[in-house]
Amino acid sequence: QVQFVESGGGLVQPGGSLRLSCAASGSISSIYAMAWYRRAPGSQRELVARVLNGGSANYADSVKGRFTISRDNAKNTVYLRMNSLKTEDTAVYYCNADPPVYSVNAKGDYWGQGTQVTVSS
């Protein structure tokens, strides 16, 4: 069972930047699509960006042009560079496969702790 540890979040002013990192406990080379998700206060979890093994990526319309997802299979790590941050980007950000990894023990999708991103003046 692969696990993900997200890091890099924090408090940033509007217009600022952050780079999130996702360290996987196992190999991600066999995972076709890795992704970043987020859950804003009072909202459902949503997919923000995904990246395929070949490096191609796509993004939610709300972040397109501002966020960049990348992966380093040799390091079992996925990154999310966030520029021009807006207050609307405030959320807990999670890393996972797309579709998410299923946890037999939890009888549902596996999610790590995530990393909090707060955009505020």
Side-chain angles (χ1 to χ4, degrees):
Q1 176 66 54
V2 66
Q3 299 183 58
F4 305 106
V5 179
E6 300 91 345
S7 63
L11 176 63
V12 64
Q13 296 184 17
S17 299
L18 287 172
R19 189 179 79 152
L20 308 183
S21 297
C22 168
S25 62
S27 175
I28 64 170
S29 61
S30 63
I31 302 177
Y32 182 65
M34 291 293 301
W36 283 94
Y37 304 77
R38 69 184 181 187
R39 182 173 61 83
S43 301
Q44 299 283 340
R45 199 191 315 268
E46 64 175 338
L47 190 146
V48 175
R50 59 163 61 87
V51 58
L52 308 185
N53 253 329
S56 62
N58 45 58
Y59 303 88
D61 288 342
S62 59
V63 308
K64 192 174 187 296
R66 300 187 297 117
F67 290 11
T68 303
I69 187 172
S70 61
R71 64 192 289 172
D72 187 337
N73 285 356
K75 296 181 178 180
N76 296 319
T77 303
V78 186
Y79 304 96
L80 184 69
R81 166 61 69 179
M82 305 184 294
N83 294 325
S84 302
L85 283 162
K86 305 175 180 179
T87 57
E88 298 92 325
D89 297 318
T90 296
V92 179
Y93 284 72
Y94 302 89
C95 174
N96 213 325
D98 181 21
V101 172
Y102 183 82
S103 173
V104 174
N105 291 338
K107 297 182 179 180
D109 293 343
Y110 162 82
W111 297 101
Q113 293 180 320
T115 185
Q116 175 71 51
V117 172
T118 302
V119 185
S120 179
S121 298

